[in-house]
Amino acid sequence: MQQTDKYKLNKPGEDDPIAIAPLNENMDKVEGALEAQDARITMLEAKYMVFGTYVGDGQRSQFIDLGFTPVAVIAQHTYVAFPGGVAVRDQPDGIGAALEITENGFLAINTTTNDFQRNMNTRTQTINYIAFA
């Protein structure tokens, strides 16, 4: 009996007797490969990103519900937020981060300054974001 080159599946020849065992071996190999593929797909599906927009309401903060807790958020004005409220553009003057990761989403914060670059919840301002799972 021959076997395939890559996966070593049994290939009964025309003159080989009909036997169930080689076919069962093939099915076991195929099932094992599918099981491994399912695990990889499940892992990849857990890693994704969401693109979206929100409009600022002018309040101190606005919760943006993503339905998952992101590991990072990038929003307009190049802010990047990580768990714990740390932002790449966190300012040394005590104003703080304009984005904060929360359970199931993030907060867009109005830092109550006139600095347009720091306010991520300015009334009527449309902000684009990418959130990573």
Side-chain angles (χ1 to χ4, degrees):
M1 182 171 300
Q2 295 180 352
Q3 290 187 328
T4 60
D5 293 331
K6 189 171 184 178
Y7 296 108
K8 305 298 181 204
L9 297 173
N10 296 314
K11 289 175 56 175
E14 287 183 23
D15 297 332
D16 290 335
I18 295 176
I20 299 299
L23 298 177
N24 286 343
E25 286 176 26
N26 285 350
M27 290 300 117
D28 289 342
K29 288 178 183 178
V30 169
E31 184 174 35
L34 289 173
E35 211 173 292
Q37 188 71 15
D38 284 347
R40 290 180 62 199
I41 289 170
T42 300
M43 188 265 311
L44 289 172
E45 286 176 340
K47 307 291 182 194
Y48 57 92
M49 65 182 105
V50 172
F51 299 84
T53 61
Y54 65 89
V55 177
D57 62 11
Q59 300 299 310
R60 175 71 179 114
S61 66
Q62 179 181 177
F63 175 66
I64 310 304
D65 188 354
L66 300 173
F68 66 93
T69 302
V71 295
V73 175
I74 300 174
Q76 195 170 351
H77 307 312
T78 65
Y79 279 96
V80 181
F82 296 96
V86 178
V88 171
R89 285 191 66 175
D90 198 5
Q91 302 298 321
D93 56 11
I95 293 172
L99 296 173
E100 182 179 326
I101 299 290
T102 62
E103 187 174 339
N104 291 320
F106 66 96
L107 289 175
I109 299 170
N110 184 343
T111 60
T112 65
T113 72
N114 291 326
D115 184 348
F116 180 75
Q117 296 294 316
R118 295 188 201 181
N119 290 325
M120 297 305 283
N121 196 33
T122 300
R123 191 173 186 282
T124 71
Q125 179 185 17
T126 300
I127 301 288
N128 302 303
Y129 66 84
I130 304 171
F132 299 91

